[in-house]
Amino acid sequence: MKDTFAFLEALQQIARDKGISVDTLLDALANALVAAYKRMPGAAEEAVVTIDPDSGDIRVYGQELDEDGNVVREWDDTPKDFGRIAAQTAKQVILQRIREAERDLKYEEYAGREGDIVTGIIQQSDNRYTLLDLGKVEALLPQAEQVPYERYEHGARLKAYIVEVRKTTKGPQIVVSRTHPGLIKRLFELEVPEIGSGVVEIKAAAREPGHRTKIAVWSNDANVDPVGACVGARGARVRMVTNELRGEKVDIVPYSDDPREFVMRALQPAKVKEVQLDEESGTATVIVHDFQLSLAIGKEGQNARLAARLTGWRIDIKSESQLAEEEAYANQDWAEGEWVENEAGEMVWQPAEGGEAVSAEQWVEASDEAAAHPDAADQSSGVSEEPLSAPVASASGEPAEVSGPEGAAP
């Protein structure tokens, strides 16, 4: 009895130290004692173990069951000195159960925290992943979730975004990211009280990790400027975010329910003249002044790509000059027909309205004559009454381009 009571006292101490309930440990101990009892000579085939949580008294009851599994007879079959035997037999089982309980507690602490932000200390880094020490557990930062060219120095503090919490036999595995757009949102929540209180919302975010991010913000209070709230006094708030992102640029634009207006704002800092939407194809054609074209597109198309991801529209940016050229091209009259291969294997132009096919040489001669005598173009060998402007077969047999009257480009 003394040994049993001492064992129970030690169990309670373990429960306090490990943060595990005594009932959990007692259940694990009872199961372990049943297994220990059944290995003893003369043990009943079926048995249960009871442990008095106050006195620590341990009893083993043998059971006889009927065909349906009901207990028809039960007797006290506690072996002598069973407390000492139980302590020796159940030690490893109890320790294992304690480890399992600790893993469950750690998992429950982080389960459901996907989308949250954590701060850890960099412990290990190689080509496959980086480990972050979060205190009780470690987080895994895979290479695919790392920002290119970002260096992770041992012992440095790092914020990361939880993308997944897995339950494994070795405990919870927390997968974090430095590239997820959600990291931007969480960092702004930490720095901007108006976002935490719900006055300002981040409606959309688009990110190219390590380079640039665009976010669209909205205010639920007409007296609060959402962009100003995120930027902060003299840019203090957005500077804290960019510092955590190791210098990644952040563009903050006001959100709009009007798709045209939203696309225009998303392309900032470029100034947009006009936006034409094609809802069937999901394309937004953006017209800008010639000198704004490179700014709207951005370096290697980055500004346009981020704006497209932010708004959900495919963005086609054109300058005023490009638009005028396309309209002039579309309004020009063209000779209708197609290039076909004749019986001799030569490429000839077959007018759509019928008539004799024209070889490439004849077409060039007619084009030159029309250029020399524009007033007589409509009398030129009856090839076509339309201005002579159509593809010409090249030496390789592929269509080439030739100018029409007075060198007009097709």
Side-chain angles (χ1 to χ4, degrees):
M1 180 66 70
K2 183 178 180 181
D3 290 341
T4 302
F5 185 78
F7 185 83
L8 182 61
E9 191 177 50
L11 206 64
Q12 293 172 340
Q13 182 64 42
I14 292 173
R16 288 192 296 268
D17 294 343
K18 301 297 182 180
I20 306 171
S21 69
V22 175
D23 290 342
T24 300
L25 293 178
L26 288 177
D27 288 342
L29 176 57
N31 292 332
L33 293 181
V34 169
Y37 164 78
K38 288 186 177 181
R39 287 195 295 268
M40 299 179 69
E45 291 185 5
E46 299 295 335
V48 294
V49 172
T50 63
I51 304 175
D52 190 317
D54 297 323
S55 65
D57 183 41
I58 299 175
R59 290 291 170 184
V60 180
Y61 292 94
Q63 293 180 333
E64 183 179 339
L65 307 180
D66 59 16
E67 294 180 355
D68 296 328
N70 299 315
V71 179
V72 296
R73 188 169 71 92
E74 188 176 72
W75 66 97
D76 189 339
D77 198 27
T78 306
K80 295 181 179 180
D81 200 20
F82 190 63
R84 180 182 58 81
I85 298 173
Q88 294 174 349
T89 306
K91 181 178 180 181
Q92 292 301 322
V93 179
I94 292 296
L95 291 176
Q96 181 180 355
R97 188 63 187 89
I98 290 173
R99 287 192 294 267
E100 291 175 357
E102 288 177 336
R103 288 196 293 265
D104 290 343
L105 287 175
K106 291 176 182 178
Y107 175 77
E108 291 172 2
E109 182 179 351
Y110 286 93
R113 287 188 62 184
E114 288 92 345
D116 201 355
I117 192 172
V118 291
T119 302
I121 299 175
I122 300 172
Q123 293 297 311
Q124 178 183 336
S125 183
D126 58 29
N127 294 331
R128 296 173 300 164
Y129 55 81
T130 296
L131 287 179
L132 296 181
D133 182 7
L134 304 182
K136 294 181 180 179
V137 296
E138 286 185 331
L140 189 69
L141 178 61
Q143 186 180 25
E145 301 292 344
Q146 298 178 16
V147 176
Y149 312 114
E150 205 172 58
R151 297 182 62 185
Y152 304 111
E153 299 177 357
H154 185 274
R157 298 180 69 84
L158 190 72
K159 286 186 172 63
Y161 181 85
I162 299 178
V163 293
E164 185 180 4
V165 180
R166 305 168 182 166
K167 190 172 185 179
T168 69
T169 56
K170 296 182 179 180
Q173 185 179 70
I174 302 169
V175 182
V176 297
S177 172
R178 286 280 295 177
T179 62
H180 199 286
L183 177 64
I184 305 291
K185 296 182 179 181
R186 292 301 185 187
L187 289 174
F188 271 103
E189 286 179 4
L190 294 176
E191 300 297 334
V192 183
E194 290 85 349
I195 294 179
S197 63
V199 174
V200 174
E201 296 181 39
I202 298 178
K203 289 287 190 178
R207 186 183 182 199
E208 291 195 355
H211 299 285
R212 195 172 184 178
T213 290
K214 280 183 181 287
I215 64 170
V217 293
W218 171 268
S219 176
N220 294 311
D221 187 339
N223 298 318
V224 177
D225 174 20
V227 176
C230 293
V231 172
R234 299 181 180 179
R237 291 176 176 176
V238 71
R239 193 182 305 117
M240 293 295 292
V241 175
T242 55
N243 289 343
E244 179 59 39
L245 297 175
R246 311 286 177 90
E248 183 177 318
K249 295 180 180 179
V250 179
D251 294 342
I252 306 171
V253 300
Y255 175 80
S256 175
D257 291 326
D258 181 0
R260 288 183 175 83
E261 184 69 21
F262 190 24
V263 170
M264 293 177 69
R265 294 176 178 180
L267 285 167
Q268 291 180 4
K271 297 186 182 301
V272 176
K273 180 181 178 182
E274 182 184 355
V275 176
Q276 302 169 358
L277 300 181
D278 184 349
E279 295 186 0
E280 289 187 3
S281 64
T283 301
T285 302
V286 177
I287 312 302
V288 298
H289 297 290
D290 289 2
F291 66 91
Q292 289 282 315
L293 181 61
S294 61
L295 184 61
I297 295 174
K299 184 179 180 181
E300 299 178 352
Q302 185 182 73
N303 193 53
R305 281 197 308 274
L306 288 173
R309 294 176 194 170
L310 191 71
T311 61
W313 288 85
R314 292 177 56 198
I315 295 180
D316 183 13
I317 303 176
K318 299 178 181 178
S319 67
E320 291 176 306
S321 298
Q322 290 173 334
L323 183 65
E325 290 176 2
E326 290 181 4
E327 290 176 350
Y329 186 87
N331 293 332
Q332 191 169 353
D333 291 331
W334 298 95
E336 296 184 1
E338 62 178 337
W339 286 100
V340 296
E341 188 175 342
N342 63 11
E343 296 178 355
E346 299 175 345
M347 296 300 294
V348 295
W349 175 261
Q350 179 65 59
E353 66 272 12
E356 185 179 353
V358 181
S359 68
E361 290 78 5
Q362 290 174 323
W363 186 272
V364 172
E365 289 175 4
S367 299
D368 292 342
E369 184 179 349
H373 306 285
D375 294 337
D378 57 349
Q379 305 294 329
S380 58
S381 69
V383 172
S384 173
E385 295 181 358
E386 302 294 336
L388 297 179
S389 205
V392 174
S394 66
S396 64
E398 295 295 328
E401 294 289 336
V402 67
S403 60
E406 300 184 1

